[in-house]
């Protein structure tokens, strides 16, 4: 199956893309939120072209779900490849490093005010735009920035609708936009990573294939022991193809359908839910493809 033929680009996403382009001239700072587990796969290549000549901040959200070594890698990678002026890891869920984000925003805001005051303009507004693909935690981040639940929060891709201007304080406004993907996945690996983390709906791709890709990645990363302990697997269970490992999980965890057949679908969803909930350890999925796919984001 070729991932480039997968198209999940509902009409509201096309409208959001137009909305972002239309409002970009008003914006001073673009905060792009990415998922720490898949920082490149969750980075929308369209945003790079939209945000030219703007202050660009990449917010690595859910950074408590990966290791410190991975965080350091991505901060250096994004800066080295000129993807952003500032890169900050945080957790919108727990509030970790939100104060550091305020500091970055204030720094850019002060620079703008200083320039305009020299021109004799006394009333200066700084405008932020928060962008990102579905399910990276944009709305929770906005709620943290604003300090109250001004943006609706959902746990399914495509929840936020329309645009929302939110006043943070005097002279500082924020534009929230719905999450958007891009029309075509140029990389099969990116598409599967989006599916594993739940950035695209589970019904878009064959869910067992998605789970098998996750198993392959974990085995290559040397994480067999985690799988063995979590699902009571034996060494012999890893001697078969990954589809067989899903069957082994169903067998060892006593996941049965009526009639006694193995419930492989239950094993599939259990594996993916456990990864998304960080029950299989802290690790990301993108480090092995960072250099390979960075050209897609130019």
């Amino acid at each position: 199956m070729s991932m480039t033929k997968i198209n999940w680009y509902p009409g509201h996403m096309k409208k959001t893309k137009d909305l972002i382009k239309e409002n970009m001239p008003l914006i001073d700072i673009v905060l792009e939120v990415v998922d720490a587990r898949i920082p490149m796969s969750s980075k929308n290549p369209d945003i790079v072209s939209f945000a030219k000549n703007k202050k660009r901040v990449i917010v690595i959200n859910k950074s408590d779900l990966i290791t410190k070594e991975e965080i350091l890698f991505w901060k250096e990678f994004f800066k080295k490849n000129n993807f952003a002026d500032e890169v900050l890891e945080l957790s919108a869920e727990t509030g970790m490093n939100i104060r550091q984000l305020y500091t970055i925003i204030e720094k850019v805001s002060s620079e703008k005010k200083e320039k305009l005051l020299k021109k004799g303009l006394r009333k200066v507004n700084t405008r932020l735009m928060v962008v990102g693909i579905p399910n990276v935690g944009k709305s929770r981040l906005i709620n943290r920035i604003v300090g109250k639940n001004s943006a609706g929060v959902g746990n399914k891709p495509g929840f936020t609708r329309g645009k929302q201007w939110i006043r943070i304080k005097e002279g500082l406004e924020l534009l929230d936009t719905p999450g958007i993907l891009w029309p075509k996945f140029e990389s099969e690996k990116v598409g599967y990573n989006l599916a594993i983390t739940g950035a695209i709906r589970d019904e878009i791709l064959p869910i067992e294939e998605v789970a098998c890709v996750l198993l392959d990645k974990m085995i290559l990363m040397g994480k067999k022991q985690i799988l063995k302990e979590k699902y009571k697997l034996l060494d012999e269970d890893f001697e078969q193809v990954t589809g067989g490992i899903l069957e082994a999980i169903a067998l060892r965890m006593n996941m049965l359908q009526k009639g006694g057949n193995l419930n492989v679908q239950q094993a599939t969803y259990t594996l993916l839910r456990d990864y998304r909930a960080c029950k299989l350890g802290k690790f990301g999925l993108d480090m092995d493809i960072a250099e390979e796919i960075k050209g897609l984001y130019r």
Side-chain angles (χ1 to χ4, degrees), residues 159-263:
F159 175 82
T160 309
R161 293 286 188 270
K163 72 174 181 179
Q164 301 181 69
W165 277 103
I166 302 169
R167 190 179 202 183
I168 300 174
K169 65 178 186 178
E170 183 67 34
L172 188 60
E173 296 175 347
L174 179 150
L175 178 62
D176 176 25
T177 61
I180 57 167
L181 288 163
W182 50 106
K184 185 171 71 170
F185 299 134
E186 301 290 352
S187 165
E188 182 175 288
K189 294 175 181 177
V190 167
Y192 277 116
N193 284 352
L194 291 168
I196 290 168
T197 56
I200 59 178
R201 298 184 191 279
D202 285 337
E203 60 266 26
I204 298 296
L205 295 175
I207 197 69
E208 286 185 26
E209 283 187 23
V210 174
C212 285
V213 170
L214 175 58
L215 284 170
D216 283 336
K217 279 179 173 283
M218 290 189 68
I219 291 168
L220 283 171
M221 289 176 176
K223 298 186 181 296
K224 275 187 185 179
Q225 191 59 35
I226 292 173
L227 293 167
K228 287 171 70 174
E229 291 175 3
K230 184 69 177 174
Y231 304 115
K232 303 176 184 177
L233 296 175
L234 307 176
D235 286 332
E236 63 197 58
D237 294 327
F238 293 95
E239 295 173 2
Q240 49 198 328
V241 295
T242 44
I245 299 176
L246 285 175
E247 292 182 0
I249 291 173
L251 175 65
R252 306 300 178 198
M253 300 300 288
N254 199 30
M255 297 174 177
L256 303 175
Q257 298 173 322
K258 287 182 179 178
N261 294 325
L262 294 175
N263 193 336

Side-chain angles (χ1 to χ4, degrees), residues 1-61:
M1 181 185 66
S2 173
M3 189 64 60
T4 56
K5 294 180 182 178
I6 295 297
N7 180 8
W8 187 55
Y9 197 62
H12 76 270
M13 288 197 181
K14 170 66 168 64
K15 291 177 183 176
T16 298
K17 181 177 177 178
D18 293 340
L19 181 151
I20 289 172
K21 290 173 71 177
E22 175 188 330
N23 285 276
M24 192 59 76
L26 305 172
I27 300 301
D28 301 296
I29 308 170
V30 177
L31 297 180
E32 182 176 9
V33 186
V34 298
D35 185 326
R37 299 166 298 178
I38 52 168
M40 281 297 286
S41 294
S42 60
K43 194 175 190 317
N44 189 331
D46 288 339
I47 301 302
V48 175
S49 59
F50 294 165
K52 283 180 179 175
N53 305 318
K54 305 294 179 182
K55 285 289 184 181
R56 300 162 301 155
V57 179
I58 290 181
V59 175
I60 305 176
N61 191 29

